[in-house]
Amino acid sequence: MRNEEIRDWNSFFQILNPDNTMSFNRYIAHAIGITETIIYFSLISKMMNHMKNNRLDNDGFFYATVGDIQESTTVKKEKQIVAIKKLVEVGLIETKIAGIPARKYFRIVKNLDLLLQLIAKGESVAQDIKTEYRNRMRKPHNQFVVFKALFLSLF
C-alpha cells in the first residue's frame, strides 16, 4: 500500500473508531450472548471510570442507570433486565439496590477461572459454527443430486 492510501484508510478508521467505541470478546459473546456481552463490557468500562475517579463504594459497587446503559450500549430497558439477570446468574456481576431513592448498583466479579471457562466455551461454539458451515459447503446441493439422478437415469 502506498502511504497516501494508508493515510486515507487511517482517516476512515478514525471516523468509525472514536474514543468512545465499544469492544468486547467474541468468544464470551458466543458463550453468553451478544447483548449480555455488550452490557458486561460496558459495565466494566463504567467500573474502570468510577475506579479512576475514586467513586466505587467500599465493597466495589458503582451506580449506573438504565439510561446510562442504554446510551452507551443502545440496549433498551427490557433487554437490559434480561441480560443483567443472566450476567448475575452466570456469575460475572453482582447487583444490589441501595439508597433513597432506591438505585441499582453493580459490581464486576473478578473471577479469572470463570472468564477462561466462558472463553473456552465460546471458542468451542465458534469452532462448531465453522465446522457446520464447512460441512454444508462440502455437501452437494439437493437440486444437483436430483438433477444428476435424473440425468443418469436417462442412459
Side-chain angles (χ1 to χ4, degrees):
M1 265 189 197
R2 297 185 336 239
N3 285 343
E4 183 177 310
E5 188 175 4
I6 291 170
R7 278 193 299 277
D8 286 346
W9 276 110
N10 283 336
S11 297
F12 183 77
F13 182 71
Q14 287 303 314
I15 290 169
L16 294 174
N17 191 25
D19 291 339
N20 63 354
T21 297
M22 236 185 324
S23 65
F24 58 89
N25 184 297
R26 69 184 171 103
Y27 294 133
I28 292 176
H30 279 298
I32 66 171
I34 188 70
T35 303
E36 291 79 1
T37 304
I38 288 170
I39 289 176
Y40 178 60
F41 278 79
S42 175
L43 290 172
I44 289 171
S45 177
K46 291 179 184 312
M47 181 204 67
M48 296 301 290
N49 186 43
H50 283 282
M51 188 183 298
K52 182 176 88 176
N53 293 307
N54 204 24
R55 290 187 307 214
L56 294 178
D57 73 10
N58 292 336
D59 296 322
F61 281 89
F62 60 94
Y63 169 67
T65 67
V66 169
D68 292 337
I69 295 170
Q70 183 175 349
E71 189 279 326
S72 63
T73 66
T74 76
V75 177
K76 294 187 177 173
K77 180 180 180 176
E78 296 77 23
K79 288 189 178 185
Q80 285 182 38
I81 292 168
V82 172
I84 289 166
K85 181 179 177 187
K86 185 168 183 181
L87 289 169
V88 170
E89 288 171 0
V90 170
L92 291 172
I93 67 170
E94 297 173 344
T95 63
K96 72 177 182 179
I97 305 295
I100 299 174
R103 296 179 176 172
K104 184 166 254 182
Y105 287 78
F106 299 89
R107 177 169 58 191
I108 306 300
V109 176
K110 193 174 180 181
N111 183 338
L112 184 58
D113 289 337
L114 175 59
L115 284 177
L116 294 175
Q117 289 171 11
L118 291 171
I119 290 168
K121 178 182 177 183
E123 286 175 332
S124 177
V125 170
Q127 187 58 48
D128 290 348
I129 292 167
K130 287 179 186 177
T131 301
E132 177 185 340
Y133 281 95
R134 281 188 195 129
N135 290 340
R136 279 190 196 175
M137 297 304 291
R138 289 184 184 140
K139 289 181 183 177
H141 297 330
N142 289 338
Q143 291 175 338
F144 177 74
V145 172
V146 171
F147 176 75
K148 183 179 174 183
L150 287 173
F151 180 77
L152 292 175
S153 70
L154 296 173
F155 297 101

